[in-house]
């Protein structure tokens, strides 16, 4: 198979469609690309909660996992030139667990992305369907590990990652990229119930990059109101020569339908990366979350996580990687303490894996 398994349709598609009575005869140029990522890793972790009634209250585990650098997936991307600098585009992307061959989300085939829309030259892109939030799209270059599952607490940082029934607009002009999205909640009798929206911008020029973004997700609209989760993030990156420095801050607040605060926290992160050789990259990352008590009691201990990661490019498509993480006052990737053995307040993880892009 070729590198991207690109299937280019250079035949007169419009002529074939004209026979079917769909469009007038003419020339149309289209392409469909099959792409994907296969990523698996061996992982050791400790202080895990065991089943009720077990002889020990907690222990370590070695397992085969999926998605250490990037989530395993396959997808289809398509584009058709409509003329006048306008293109019709679509994407269908399905996540899977390569360790077990299961779907990334049961019952949802294209769980990662499913959208179509129009892309214009100079006027941006407008798409419709299941799509990533603005926060997800604008921050990957500003994160120390670029959303690596082992071990960047990305879901904690920006959940939800994707929105159903969404309209998204994105425009790029030189070093500036800006976008906004709105997800229809589709609740009968309420525009705001279950709806979500957000937007932001990034500026990357030379060695320096800056980003700012806002996301909001509403709960169901009830007689007492609608709960909501709001998040704001600002971040910066500086990459002189072989070095790459990243830092950022995320504010979050969750309220229930009555308007009472349910959760409030401030998350910080910083990272240092260095390319030792053209094929070998080392990254170090630190994440810290300042959790605010919402009921007048003392705030819980704040979680913090340290990560050291190495990535070696065997080829343009295949990488070998390793990562070591230590987290205090949480489980790995800021998982709740309830996932750990009773009395445990820290966890260590070690991952060795391989990623192949096709």
């Amino acid at each position: 198979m070729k590198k991207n398994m690109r299937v280019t349709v250079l035949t007169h598609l419009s002529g074939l469609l004209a026979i079917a009575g769909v469009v007038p005869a003419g020339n149309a140029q289209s392409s469909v690309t099959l792409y994907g990522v296969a990523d698996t890793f061996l992982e050791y972790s400790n202080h895990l909660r065991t089943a009720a009634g077990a002889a020990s209250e907690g222990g370590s585990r070695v397992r085969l996992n999926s998605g250490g650098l990037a989530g395993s997936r396959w997808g289809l991307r398509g584009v058709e030139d409509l003329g006048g600098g306008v293109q019709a585009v679509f994407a269908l992307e399905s996540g899977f667990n390569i360790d077990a061959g299961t779907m990334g989300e049961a019952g949802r085939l294209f769980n990662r992305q499913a959208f179509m829309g129009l892309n214009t030259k100079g006027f941006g892109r407008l798409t419709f369907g299941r799509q990533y939030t603005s926060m997800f799209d604008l921050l990957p270059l500003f994160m120390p590990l670029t959303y690596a599952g082992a071990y960047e607490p990305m879901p904690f940082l920006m959940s939800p990652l994707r929105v159903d029934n969404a309209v998204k607009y994105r425009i790029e002009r030189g070093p500036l990229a800006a976008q906004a999205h709105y997800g229809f909640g589709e609740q009968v009798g309420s525009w705001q119930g279950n709806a979500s929206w957000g937007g932001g911008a990034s500026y990357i020029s030379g060695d320096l990059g800056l980003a700012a973004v806002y996301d909001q997700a509403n709960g169901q609209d009830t007689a007492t109101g609608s709960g909501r989760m709001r998040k704001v993030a600002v971040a910066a990156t500086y990459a002189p020569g072989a070095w790459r420095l990243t830092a950022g801050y995320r504010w979050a607040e969750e309220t229930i339908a009555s308007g009472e605060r349910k959760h409030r926290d401030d998350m910080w992160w910083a990272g240092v990366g260095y390319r030792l050789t053209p094929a070998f990259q080392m990254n170090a990352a630190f994440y810290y979350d300042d959790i605010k008590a919402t009921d007048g009691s003392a705030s819980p201990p704040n979680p913090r996580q340290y990560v050291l990661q190495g990535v070696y490019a065997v080829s343009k498509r295949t990488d070998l990687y390793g990562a070591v993480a230590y987290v205090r006052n949480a489980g790995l990737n800021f998982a709740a303490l309830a996932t750990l053995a009773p009395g445990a307040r820290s966890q260590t993880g070690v991952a060795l894996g391989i990623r192949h892009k096709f």
Side-chain angles (χ1 to χ4, degrees), residues 69-259:
L69 276 187
S72 296
R73 72 198 75 168
W74 71 273
L76 295 168
R77 282 192 294 257
V79 58
E80 180 182 16
D81 290 323
L82 303 179
V86 180
Q87 298 174 320
V89 296
F90 80 87
L92 301 170
E93 188 173 284
S94 178
F96 60 90
N97 303 308
I98 197 169
D99 55 317
T102 55
M103 296 177 62
E105 185 176 341
R108 193 194 290 260
L109 176 58
F110 297 111
N111 58 303
R112 296 182 65 93
Q113 298 184 85
F115 67 81
M116 63 180 301
L118 295 174
N119 186 46
T120 63
K121 185 177 181 180
F123 294 96
R125 188 172 80 161
L126 185 65
T127 50
F128 308 84
R130 177 170 171 81
Q131 303 181 74
Y132 288 108
T133 65
S134 295
M135 187 168 286
F136 183 97
D137 281 342
L138 291 170
L139 289 186
L141 296 180
F142 298 88
M143 301 302 298
L145 307 182
T146 322
Y147 296 165
Y151 295 96
E152 191 154 75
M154 184 259 295
F156 183 87
L157 166 71
M158 62 180 67
S159 181
L161 309 180
R162 307 169 182 88
V163 178
D164 291 339
N165 312 308
V167 178
K168 181 193 290 185
Y169 174 73
R170 181 180 178 91
I171 188 169
E172 298 181 14
R173 293 288 180 86
L176 180 66
Q179 76 172 54
H181 74 274
Y182 181 86
F184 292 91
E186 300 188 353
Q187 180 179 341
V188 176
S190 173
W191 273 89
Q192 69 173 358
N194 297 320
S196 60
W197 59 85
S202 66
Y203 180 87
I204 301 177
S205 179
D207 299 335
L208 180 65
L210 302 170
V213 60
Y214 172 83
D215 267 2
Q216 176 170 326
N218 290 348
Q220 186 173 2
D221 199 2
T222 67
T224 58
S226 174
R228 63 185 182 183
M229 171 65 83
R230 296 184 297 165
K231 294 186 176 183
V232 178
V234 292
T237 182
Y238 180 60
W243 292 92
R244 176 175 174 261
L245 310 177
T246 53
Y249 164 76
R250 191 270 289 140
W251 172 93
E253 180 186 61
E254 182 179 7
T255 58
I256 60 177
S258 64

